[in-house]
Amino acid sequence: MKKKGLISTCIILCCAIVLATVTGISFNKKRNFVEDIVVGSNVKGTFKLDEYNENLKGTIGDVDVYVLKGEEEGGKVLVLGGTHANEPAGHMAAIVILEQFQVSKGTVYVIPNICQSGLTHNDPLEGTPQYLHFTTKNGDVRTFHFGSRASNPIDQWPDPDTYLHTSGDWTSAKVSPDVNTTQTLSGSEVRNQNRCYPGIADGTVTERVSYAVTNMINTLKIDMVIDLHESSPEYAVNNAIVAHQDALSLASDTVLQLGDRDILLRIEPSPAALRGLTHRELGDYTDAYALLCEVGNPSQGRFRGYTDEALAITGKDPCYTDAYAINGGALLYVDYSSGDFPLSLRVARHVATVAQLIDSMNFEVDDEARSVIVDNFPDPDAIKEFYDEMVAADDLGLYLN
Ligand SMILES: [Zn+2]
């Protein structure tokens, strides 16, 4: 009897060791996988984010900032991708922008992986893919992370029971001392990049990254910051631009220009009491127009069925087709009549929105010295043309170098 017990204990122990080894190798491989960014002649340089917070040196948050600079001086725009690494359109749109935008006037800074830590792991129990693969025009396969909503616990542990967000040492003439800039959130939100703005210089790695972004915008006098996201199709803030009150006018122009060309977006004012988010804190603590873009991602929603790379790329899910059939689509905030919502369409929406926001910013500031010109997108009709081509091609690989 004793011998039998010993044998089963050994078998269980061996299985546990094999399981831990296999998952450990997989975890470690993802942790160390570095995405290739193929820089073209449009990128005039890169620098590390630690230039704006030296406490990032040697941490996973010390990411590259890509500089797309025109011959002529002008305004400055910052594009953030990968804030939430389980929202691939935000990450991939930033990569398409940095590989494709031909800037002839002003500067576009792109950080495609602002939460690099979040890209290096997956959310437990969500069954999401680890990677996405795309084949480029000349047949190369490029691999990108599908990550987690939050920073990796390896970089920041343990989470507190409750996370008390604060604005740290930041002050701003735009924020009245009467305004409560603290917010109590659930403990895991301490690893949510988009709850940690304006950031703390020597805080957690997530807070340090946010601090560097805020400091970079103030130091470089950046005119507009755009943070690219995705959300569940059943979430109301979808296919939308969330705008700080100072950016509402230019966001409205973008919604009208794109709407005229059948690219429909909602506009959402940034709630003043919702602290820690880019569209609130970067608008309050810098002079930049602060905007956040959302597009519907079926691989992120709670109605979704089997979750794999195909779902992330095609957005095709019979569970969402069923959900859309109820009450004439009233359960969803995206048009799911085609039975899919592909990544190429979601990225096209983001790229078109960023291009149009730049055009609308030029109109809003009405100052040649602060305008930004992207040669691929001379006017709203050219943006629509690019959008239509990208949606029709339905192949993101064609837009990667
Ligand atoms: Zn998000």
Side-chain angles (χ1 to χ4, degrees):
M1 201 61 203
K2 227 176 168 185
K3 201 177 169 191
K4 224 177 168 185
L6 193 67
I7 291 168
S8 49
T9 305
C10 285
I11 292 170
I12 292 168
L13 200 63
C14 286
C15 290
I17 290 169
V18 169
L19 200 66
T21 307
V22 170
T23 53
I25 289 170
S26 164
F27 185 88
N28 197 46
K29 189 178 155 211
K30 181 160 176 65
R31 172 89 184 148
N32 294 308
F33 173 72
V34 181
E35 294 174 335
D36 276 332
I37 301 292
V38 183
V39 170
S41 59
N42 61 326
V43 175
K44 300 296 182 238
T46 61
F47 60 84
K48 290 279 182 196
L49 198 53
D50 73 36
E51 280 196 26
Y52 297 95
N53 184 2
E54 61 179 23
N55 297 315
L56 279 177
K57 276 199 178 103
T59 73
I60 193 161
D62 197 8
V63 293
D64 289 320
V65 182
Y66 295 83
V67 185
L68 285 64
K69 196 170 164 50
E71 294 284 311
E72 208 182 330
E73 291 296 324
K76 293 170 183 172
V77 173
L78 170 62
V79 177
L80 302 173
T83 294
H84 292 144
N86 61 332
E87 301 169 5
H91 180 49
M92 295 309 301
I95 292 167
V96 169
I97 288 167
L98 95 82
E99 294 193 3
Q100 304 299 332
F101 271 31
Q102 303 290 336
V103 178
S104 60
K105 180 173 183 188
T107 310
V108 177
Y109 300 95
V110 185
I111 310 177
N113 51 343
I114 189 64
C115 186
Q116 176 64 31
S117 175
L119 283 166
T120 65
H121 72 134
N122 292 99
D123 289 320
L125 306 177
E126 292 289 335
T128 52
Q130 288 186 305
Y131 306 99
L132 301 178
H133 303 85
F134 304 97
T135 306
T136 65
K137 262 183 209 149
N138 51 3
D140 295 327
V141 176
R142 292 182 59 185
T143 306
F144 298 91
H145 281 289
F146 186 108
S148 158
R149 182 171 173 79
S151 296
N152 194 328
I154 281 199
D155 299 311
Q156 193 177 316
W157 184 259
D159 294 346
D161 289 339
T162 51
Y163 162 45
L164 180 69
H165 164 270
T166 80
S167 301
D169 297 330
W170 294 96
T171 56
S172 166
K174 290 198 224 174
V175 184
S176 147
D178 304 334
V179 171
N180 180 12
T181 57
T182 63
Q183 183 140 27
T184 308
L185 298 154
S186 73
S188 61
E189 295 287 32
V190 75
R191 288 181 288 114
N192 182 343
Q193 193 70 59
N194 207 26
R195 297 297 179 277
C196 290
Y197 287 92
I200 295 171
D202 59 354
T204 63
V205 70
T206 314
E207 289 168 331
R208 291 178 194 197
V209 167
S210 292
Y211 180 93
V213 171
T214 314
N215 192 27
M216 175 183 156
I217 294 171
N218 280 327
T219 308
L220 294 174
K221 296 191 172 20
I222 286 172
D223 297 283
M224 176 165 71
V225 54
I226 307 165
D227 185 17
L228 301 174
H229 287 249
E230 292 200 273
S231 50
S232 314
E234 63 273 26
Y235 181 58
V237 183
N238 214 317
N239 290 338
I241 303 177
V242 188
H244 186 269
Q245 63 268 20
D246 296 345
L248 270 174
S249 165
L250 87 84
S252 305
D253 185 64
T254 288
V255 169
L256 289 170
Q257 294 290 352
L258 293 180
D260 266 356
R261 290 160 183 84
D262 297 323
I263 305 171
L264 302 179
L265 286 169
R266 295 182 179 84
I267 186 158
E268 298 277 343
S270 165
L274 197 56
R275 307 308 308 190
L277 292 97
T278 45
H279 52 77
R280 169 50 40 204
E281 307 291 359
L282 294 178
D284 277 355
Y285 290 97
T286 79
D287 287 330
Y289 296 114
L291 304 122
L292 182 149
C293 303
E294 294 277 16
V295 64
N297 171 17
S299 65
Q300 192 184 354
R302 304 323 301 178
F303 292 166
R304 74 178 193 271
Y306 184 70
T307 309
D308 59 3
E309 182 178 359
L311 175 59
I313 291 177
T314 65
K316 192 183 272 186
D317 188 328
C319 300
Y320 272 102
T321 305
D322 289 349
Y324 191 71
I326 299 168
N327 291 342
L331 285 184
L332 305 184
Y333 290 87
V334 300
D335 178 1
Y336 208 72
S337 55
S338 60
D340 61 6
F341 212 67
L343 185 59
S344 51
L345 165 72
R346 285 137 54 197
V347 170
R349 291 187 71 96
H350 273 342
V351 174
T353 306
V354 169
Q356 183 55 54
L357 282 169
I358 291 173
D359 193 57
S360 298
M361 182 191 83
N362 294 342
F363 180 71
E364 176 83 12
V365 300
D366 193 22
D367 178 358
E368 274 296 308
R370 284 175 67 203
S371 69
V372 174
I373 306 290
V374 182
D375 281 349
N376 330 41
F377 304 104
D379 55 43
D381 290 328
I383 294 169
K384 166 69 170 164
E385 206 176 306
F386 175 93
Y387 172 86
D388 283 346
E389 277 174 16
M390 193 165 183
V391 172
D394 192 16
D395 185 352
L396 195 56
L398 301 180
Y399 293 83
L400 297 168
N401 287 346

